[in-house]
Amino acid sequence: PLLGRRIGDAADRVSFQTTFKGTEHWLLDDHRSRTGDALIPGTGYLEIACGAFAELGDAAAIELRRVFFVAPCVVNAEQDVELRTTLRRASGDWELEIESRAAGGTEWQLHAQAEVGACKERAPAPLRLGEIAARMGAPQIAIAGQSLETLHARHLRFGPRWNVLRKMCFGANEALAELELPSDFEADLGRYALHPALLDLATGFATPLIEGYTGAEFYAPMSYERVRVFAPMPARIVSWVRGAQPNQVGKEVAVFDVV
């Protein structure tokens, strides 16, 4: 649903283009800066990438590699934005770019790029969630008396689809969360393989694992080294996050592994 119409269809290049009219789409209206600017979340680009590749074939599983977010896509109420997704064949897989321009404009701005192809790995065995949870502290919804959504709301304004966090707990350099899409929006799941709201907090809830984190610091996603998608996301998910390096507030970036 985020791709729009196919505008180019060659053996080695496929493009899609759509128009976001002001802030009519929930992906933008539910994800805003504190100043009110509507922003496409990083997880929105992941969904677009998977959807574009799914249009090319019937791979059972999809792998995105070297995903980089280059610049934010900001949409205000006065200006429609055209979004273009392009796939180019490269050594068996595809290179992907997502760009935008003001409606009727001529200059495209690059927002995200990645490599995408069929995942050749088998789906991993189910996690032993009980063993992981046993290593954690007591389950909680609040950190220092505030919900995670409230902490993030110091920097972003979320709409109702982002009200997904149900339970989380923290251990030594790892965290576990249960998330569930509100029942009012379960119809989304037939259209989106990677629901951007669910995935956004599934990958972002564990910032308190960063040493020195107080909630005042704002971390925005910059890249994903690899994303493997074995099945569409259901309404209820569990996210297990581990620090992939010694993460500290004084460092420019924090790195995590997420299942």
Side-chain angles (χ1 to χ4, degrees):
L2 302 178
L3 290 174
R5 66 190 186 281
R6 190 178 294 211
I7 59 171
D9 197 351
D12 59 352
R13 179 186 172 109
V14 179
S15 296
F16 305 88
Q17 189 167 319
T18 191
T19 300
F20 286 113
K21 294 185 175 297
T23 54
E24 292 179 2
H25 198 286
W26 65 261
L27 183 72
L28 293 153
D29 199 35
D30 281 15
H31 188 266
R32 294 176 175 271
S33 68
R34 289 301 300 163
T35 58
D37 292 326
L39 306 165
I40 296 180
T43 51
Y45 299 121
L46 299 184
E47 165 62 22
I48 290 170
C50 286
F53 182 72
E55 288 292 316
L56 304 181
D58 57 356
I62 297 173
E63 182 169 288
L64 309 177
R65 293 180 297 277
R66 288 176 280 281
V67 181
F68 288 98
F69 303 132
V70 180
C73 182
V74 182
V75 182
N76 60 53
E78 291 75 35
Q79 180 66 66
D80 295 348
V81 167
E82 297 173 353
L83 197 72
R84 182 174 69 183
T85 302
T86 303
L87 288 158
R88 298 181 183 86
R89 177 75 75 175
S91 302
D93 286 334
W94 298 80
E95 294 178 348
L96 175 136
E97 290 184 344
I98 301 173
E99 307 165 287
S100 78
R101 68 181 180 187
T106 57
E107 189 169 337
W108 291 94
Q109 165 72 58
L110 178 64
H111 298 294
Q113 58 189 32
E115 299 170 12
V116 57
C119 179
K120 300 177 177 61
E121 301 292 328
R122 290 186 177 184
L127 295 176
R128 297 179 180 274
L129 292 175
E131 293 179 8
I132 297 171
R135 301 195 296 265
M136 305 285 180
Q140 55 181 301
I141 292 296
I143 302 173
Q146 294 180 310
S147 70
L148 182 70
E149 287 88 347
T150 301
L151 280 175
H152 278 233
R154 297 181 186 182
H155 313 285
L156 295 170
R157 287 164 45 185
F158 291 142
R161 278 179 170 83
W162 262 257
N163 183 25
V164 297
L165 189 66
R166 300 292 173 259
K167 184 192 299 184
M168 60 184 177
C169 49
F170 293 85
N173 201 38
E174 61 179 343
L176 196 67
E178 295 180 10
L179 306 98
E180 186 172 11
L181 191 68
S183 58
D184 288 349
F185 310 117
E186 286 188 4
D188 291 352
L189 298 173
R191 309 184 72 205
Y192 301 91
L194 295 179
H195 196 282
L198 268 174
L199 188 58
D200 193 24
L201 287 186
T203 55
F205 83 93
T207 47
L209 290 176
I210 301 170
E211 184 180 346
Y213 180 80
T214 67
E217 303 82 9
F218 179 53
Y219 286 82
M222 186 177 72
S223 72
Y224 289 78
E225 177 65 24
R226 180 172 59 199
V227 181
R228 289 174 172 165
V229 184
F230 294 99
M233 204 171 262
R236 180 180 176 274
I237 64 173
V238 177
S239 178
W240 178 37
V241 178
R242 291 161 290 167
Q245 68 174 27
N247 291 317
Q248 299 168 339
V249 164
K251 294 185 176 181
E252 285 194 1
V253 298
V255 185
F256 298 98
D257 291 326
V258 183
V259 179

